[in-house]
Amino acid sequence: ERLDSLPGGFLRDLSVVQLSRMTRKKRSLPCYGMQWGTALYLYPIDESLVEHFYSPPSPATVNETRMYGGRWEEPAPGEWTLNWTEATLRDYYLNNILIHELGHHNDQRNTNFEARERYANWFAIEYGYRYSRR
């Protein structure tokens, strides 16, 4: 439903959106999604809806997750948690992660990592966050 709500053409050549399983590697790396060729992959977070980090989040990460309702806490020195509810996590995945990865899929112009990320971030704000807040 979320993808169908987007303007026409954005889904061109998209073959699959895969909801992947939790893996041991994923538990240790904060990776929510990935685009590879004509596929988008979305990775889960722990069922507790709490993510643990052992280095401080960047200001951009804090701002991005707060936009969707993520709450940051520092329960102990050198430890940070990102806390979600089912509703805020759903919003984050449908209106940020999914749309960000779709932005990568639609970026036919940029070739270096920084430019591709900048485009995907813009795409997620324009067609994810702003669209969902209308």
Side-chain angles (χ1 to χ4, degrees), residues 1 9 15 20 26 30 46-47 50 56 58 66 68 84 87 100 103:
E1 287 176 15
S15 62
S20 299
K26 168 57 184 103
D46 190 76
E47 62 188 333
V50 177
S58 71
R66 280 186 179 163
Y68 297 92
W84 299 98
H100 175 101

Side-chain angles (χ1 to χ4, degrees), residues 15-89:
S15 62
V16 67
V17 175
Q18 179 175 312
L19 303 178
S20 299
R21 295 182 187 183
M22 179 63 81
T23 64
R24 188 175 23 226
K25 184 175 184 180
K26 168 57 184 103
R27 287 188 203 283
S28 64
L29 258 171
C31 177
Y32 300 102
M34 180 178 76
Q35 173 264 331
W36 187 262
T38 62
L40 306 181
Y41 301 92
L42 300 180
Y43 299 102
I45 72 163
D46 190 76
E47 62 188 333
S48 70
L49 304 181
V50 177
E51 298 179 86
H52 297 271
F53 300 89
Y54 298 97
S55 59
S58 71
T61 298
V62 171
N63 289 338
E64 178 182 79
T65 52
R66 280 186 179 163
M67 287 168 58
Y68 297 92
R71 287 184 305 103
W72 286 93
E73 296 176 1
E74 189 177 356
E79 181 182 344
W80 292 264
T81 59
L82 176 52
N83 303 274
W84 299 98
T85 65
E86 285 187 28
T88 60
L89 191 61

Side-chain angles (χ1 to χ4, degrees), residues 91-126:
D91 184 27
Y92 185 59
Y93 269 83
L94 290 177
N95 295 306
N96 186 39
I97 304 303
L98 175 62
I99 306 304
H100 175 101
E101 299 308 332
L102 186 62
H104 284 305
H105 173 74
N106 280 278
D107 185 1
Q108 303 301 314
R109 183 181 66 204
N110 297 301
T111 56
N112 71 48
F113 177 80
E114 291 83 13
R116 287 185 58 75
E117 281 305 304
R118 199 170 31 253
Y119 180 85
N121 287 337
W122 168 83
F123 195 91
I125 293 292
E126 189 65 29

